[in-house]
Amino acid sequence: MCGIVGIVSVGENSVNQEIYDALTILQHRGQDAAGIVTCDNGRFYQRKDNGLVKDVFRTRHMRDLLGTTGIGHVRYPTAGSSSSAEAQPFYVNSPYGIVMGHNGNLTNAHELAEEIYRTDLRHLNTNSDSEVLLNIFAHELKEQGKLEIDSNDVFNAIRKVHKRVRGGYAAVGLISTIGVFAFRDPFGLRPCVVGKRETAAGTDYMVASESVALDGLGFTLIKDLAPGEAVVITDSGEINFEQCAENPVSSPCIFEYVYFARPDSMIDDISVYKSRLRMGEKLADKILRDWPDHDIDVVMPIPDTSRTSAIELANKLGRPYREGFIKNRYIGRTFIMPGQQLRKKSVRQKLNPIDLEFEGKNVLLVDDSIVRGTTSGQIVQMAREAGAKKVYFVSASPAVRYPYVYGIDMPSPSELVASSRTTEEVAEIIGCDKLIYQDLDDLIDAVSAGSDNVNKFDTSCFSGIYATGDITPEYLASLDASRNDDAQSAKQKIGQESVGIHNGS
Ligand SMILES: O=P(O)(O)OC[C@H]1O[C@H](OP(=O)(O)OP(=O)(O)O)[C@H](O)[C@@H]1O
Ligand SMILES: NC(=O)CC[C@H](N)C(=O)O
Ligand SMILES: [Mg+2]
C-alpha cells in the first residue's frame, strides 16, 4: 500500500523539502523504497532507492532536486520484486517526458505488458505493474497526436487508461510541459486527496494518498478524487478536475480504515479515527451480547494500530484500558516488511510486555486484524510468559480468509492463518483461550456510519467478493504462485531482480 504525493508551488520555493516531509508523513504506507522527482525548466531531477525516506535522501540528493513542481513515492511492493530498480517514480522520455508514482496493483499487468511490447512498441525494463501503468498512460497521451498538450489531452489519455487497465490504482504524475496530474481507479479502491494552500504568490496545490500529509504541510483539503476522477494542476497553478471513467462505482478498500491509513486521516470524508472507535464499540457490543458473563479483567491494545479501537472497547465494556505492551518506536510496521522471517523476528523486537499488567489477570488483547497470525501468535505467548491467567483475543476486523489483489501483499491463501480454518482452529494456532472476530456487517457499519454517501466497500479479503468483479480463480492461482513467500525468496536467491538503469548513489 504505497504512498503518493505531488506538489505544485506557484512561488519561488522549491518543493523538494516539502515532498520529503510529506513522504515521511506517509511512511506507514511503504517502508521498502522511496523516491522523489522534481521538474525545473522542463528538466527532471530524480532520487530513488530502497530504504526509508530518512535513509534514501542525503543532503546532496536534496540539493539536486530542483524545481517548484514534483512528485514522491514510498513503496511497499505488491508486484515485481523489491529491487531498487522498481523504486518509484518511474520515468519515460516519450511523449514530453513523464514520471509517475502508483499506489495499488494492476490485475491485468501481464496482458498489458505483452500489449505494450507488441502493439504499443514500448519497452519495459522491470516486472513492476507501475511501469506498465505509466507506459499505458504515455502511449495513450502520445495517441492524442499533439506537439503541445493541455489538461483535456491528459484527461483523454486517462479515459483510455481506465478502459485498458484493471485493478486498484491511485497515481500521481508529472509531465514536463504541463505540471502535476493524478487519477483514481473507477472503483476508488485506493485513496487520493487534493488540497490547497494560499500564499502571497498565489495558490499552491498538493495531491496525496492521505489527508494527514496535507495537514502536516499546511494545506487544506479541497476534496477526495472521486472514483474514476482525475486532476491536472499546471505549473502556473491552474487546476482542473474531470470524471474520466464511464461507469464509476464507489467501492473503497475497507482495509484502509482497518489498518493501512493513519487514524488522523480522512478518507472519502470518513474519519479513520472515528471508524476505529466505532469498530471498538461494535466489538464491545458483540462481547456483551454473546458472552455476557465474561471474566475479562483488563483490555490491552497491540500497538500501534489497534489502540483506537481498544480504547473504545474498554470504555464500553467498563474494564480498565492498559498499555501492557510497549512498542520500540524505532521499528516500523511488521506486516509490510518483506519476508516472513523478518516479520517474525521484528514482533519481539518491536513489542515488550510490562509484566505487572499481566500477572494473575484475564487479559483481553485487541488487534485490528489477524492476517498471517505472525503478531498474534507471539503476543499471546508473551502475555502468558508475563503471567496472564487467561489470554483472550479480539480482532477489530473479520477473519482474513482470501487473498488481496488491489495493492496489499497477501497473495497466498496458504499464508493466511484463517483461510479454511474455523475461529476455534485459529484460536488454537495462536494459542489464546478465546478468539472473537468482528462481524463483517458490523465492520461495514462502523466505517459507513461516517458518511451519507459511501456505504459500499471492497471487503474482498474478508468476503472473497472482489469489487471489480473480474478476478478469476486462474488469476488468484497465478498471483499465489508468483508472489508467495517461497517464490519471492527463490527469486532473490537466483538474482532474478532487475538491475536499475536509473540512478547513481
Ligand atoms: O497477523 P499478522 O500477519 O501479524 O498481521 C496483522 C498485524 O500486523 C499489523 O501490525 P504492524 O506491526 O504491521 O503495524 P502497527 O504497528 O501499525 O500495528 C496489524 O496491525 C496487526 O497487528
Ligand atoms: N503497495 C503498492 O501500492 C504497490 C504499488 C506497485 N504495485 C508496486 O509494487 O510497486
Ligand atoms: Mg499491529
Side-chain angles (χ1 to χ4, degrees):
M1 195 63 60
C2 306
I4 56 171
V5 58
I7 300 180
V8 172
S9 170
V10 289
E12 293 297 302
N13 294 339
S14 301
V15 286
N16 53 0
Q17 188 59 44
E18 295 210 300
I19 293 176
Y20 177 99
D21 294 343
L23 291 181
T24 59
I25 297 174
L26 296 173
Q27 187 80 80
H28 61 285
R29 299 182 67 85
Q31 303 168 168
D32 276 34
I36 296 177
V37 175
T38 55
C39 188
D40 189 44
N41 283 322
R43 280 273 164 93
F44 287 138
Y45 298 90
Q46 170 188 281
R47 167 65 187 165
K48 62 177 184 173
D49 204 351
N50 283 347
L52 297 172
V53 175
K54 71 177 177 44
D55 300 320
V56 168
F57 303 98
R58 299 277 167 211
T59 309
R60 64 179 189 279
H61 305 125
M62 294 299 288
R63 225 180 13 227
D64 292 344
L65 291 166
L66 306 174
T68 54
T69 55
I71 64 170
H73 189 268
V74 282
R75 180 173 190 228
Y76 157 57
T78 63
S81 71
S82 303
S83 155
S84 61
E86 294 183 23
Q88 302 190 36
F90 276 102
Y91 164 71
V92 288
N93 74 344
S94 174
Y96 320 110
I98 311 171
V99 287
M100 188 187 275
H102 161 225
N103 168 211
N105 192 56
L106 307 190
T107 55
N108 62 341
H110 287 299
E111 297 87 315
L112 290 174
E114 270 298 297
E115 283 176 32
I116 284 169
Y117 173 64
R118 290 188 190 286
T119 323
D120 301 348
L121 306 181
R122 301 185 70 93
H123 170 68
L124 296 172
N125 204 56
T126 71
N127 291 321
S128 164
D129 60 327
S130 308
E131 195 187 9
V132 168
L133 182 63
L134 169 57
N135 276 275
I136 295 284
F137 173 76
H139 173 80
E140 297 303 342
L141 195 58
K142 185 164 176 286
E143 288 292 286
Q144 306 296 309
K146 294 201 182 151
L147 186 59
E148 279 179 30
I149 49 164
D150 60 20
S151 304
N152 280 326
D153 299 306
V154 178
F155 293 137
N156 285 337
I158 294 169
R159 275 190 191 94
K160 300 275 176 47
V161 168
H162 287 326
K163 289 204 167 112
R164 291 180 72 181
V165 165
R166 302 270 168 274
Y169 48 96
V172 64
L174 193 54
I175 302 171
S176 73
T177 54
I178 293 197
V180 167
F181 65 97
F183 55 93
R184 196 174 175 195
D185 67 71
F187 295 87
L189 287 157
R190 302 271 61 94
C192 189
V193 292
V194 185
K196 65 174 182 182
R197 180 179 61 190
E198 302 304 339
T199 73
T203 310
D204 293 344
Y205 291 102
M206 176 169 172
V207 278
S209 292
E210 291 183 36
S211 64
V212 65
L214 304 181
D215 303 342
L217 272 73
F219 285 74
T220 53
L221 180 72
I222 301 174
K223 62 185 282 195
D224 290 71
L225 281 186
E229 193 178 26
V231 62
V232 175
I233 308 157
T234 65
D235 298 340
S236 55
E238 193 190 306
I239 188 166
N240 285 299
F241 293 90
E242 181 98 359
Q243 175 53 259
C244 296
E246 269 172 13
N247 296 305
V249 181
S250 176
S251 242
C253 168
I254 207 157
F255 212 70
E256 288 280 350
Y257 297 92
V258 170
Y259 167 69
F260 258 102
R262 264 178 53 157
D264 41 346
S265 279
M266 300 286 295
I267 299 183
D268 287 319
D269 229 11
I270 299 173
S271 153
V272 176
Y273 176 74
K274 284 198 201 161
S275 75
R276 288 185 189 158
L277 288 178
R278 287 189 292 267
M279 288 175 213
E281 209 177 296
K282 301 265 179 201
L283 269 174
D285 289 342
K286 182 167 177 178
I287 293 172
L288 294 170
R289 191 173 63 233
D290 296 351
W291 189 20
D293 55 348
H294 71 80
D295 57 356
I296 298 162
D297 294 320
V298 60
V299 175
M300 281 182 200
I302 297 173
D304 257 331
T305 300
S306 67
R307 277 198 174 116
T308 317
S309 301
I311 288 172
E312 198 57 12
L313 192 160
N315 233 346
K316 192 124 200 231
L317 224 50
R319 288 293 184 271
Y321 169 89
R322 287 283 187 274
E323 298 253 352
F325 290 100
I326 300 303
K327 177 180 169 293
N328 178 341
R329 72 181 68 208
Y330 300 102
I331 300 215
R333 296 182 118 182
T334 47
F335 175 72
I336 59 172
M337 287 176 181
Q340 184 59 5
Q341 240 177 342
L342 178 63
R343 288 191 285 263
K344 215 163 165 185
K345 193 171 120 218
S346 301
V347 173
R348 289 253 171 191
Q349 291 177 344
K350 175 170 162 171
L351 298 168
N352 193 45
I354 297 189
D355 290 3
L356 66 89
E357 288 293 1
F358 292 86
E359 281 157 5
K361 292 184 192 162
N362 297 335
V363 298
L364 179 69
L365 303 179
V366 185
D367 211 346
D368 52 271
S369 57
I370 303 172
V371 183
R372 299 180 180 88
T374 321
T375 310
S376 39
Q378 295 190 65
I379 289 292
V380 170
Q381 203 183 332
M382 283 157 79
R384 291 205 193 279
E385 287 165 8
K389 205 157 66 171
K390 294 249 174 77
V391 182
Y392 305 126
F393 206 102
V394 285
S395 163
S397 58
V400 174
R401 295 211 155 92
Y402 304 90
Y404 191 82
V405 301
Y406 305 123
I408 306 174
D409 198 31
M410 31 183 173
S412 180
S414 61
E415 289 165 12
L416 305 173
V417 68
S419 162
S420 7
R421 290 200 179 96
T422 63
T423 303
E424 290 69 31
E425 286 167 341
V426 177
E428 208 181 312
I429 287 182
I430 66 173
C432 62
D433 296 292
K434 189 178 183 68
L435 169 62
I436 300 171
Y437 281 112
Q438 183 90 265
D439 293 333
L440 182 54
D441 286 346
D442 282 344
L443 174 63
I444 294 171
D445 286 352
V447 182
S448 63
S451 164
D452 293 336
N453 308 318
V454 187
N455 48 25
K456 218 173 128 214
F457 298 88
D458 177 75
T459 60
S460 49
C461 58
F462 307 119
S463 62
I465 299 164
Y466 293 88
T468 54
D470 55 1
I471 303 302
T472 61
E474 292 73 33
Y475 173 74
L476 292 176
S478 74
L479 184 71
D480 184 358
S482 64
R483 287 209 60 82
N484 67 41
D485 272 335
D486 289 346
Q488 288 197 53
S489 45
K491 237 189 260 171
Q492 274 172 2
K493 262 190 215 129
I494 58 173
Q496 260 189 11
E497 301 208 327
S498 327
V499 176
I501 54 167
H502 60 274
N503 212 18
S505 56

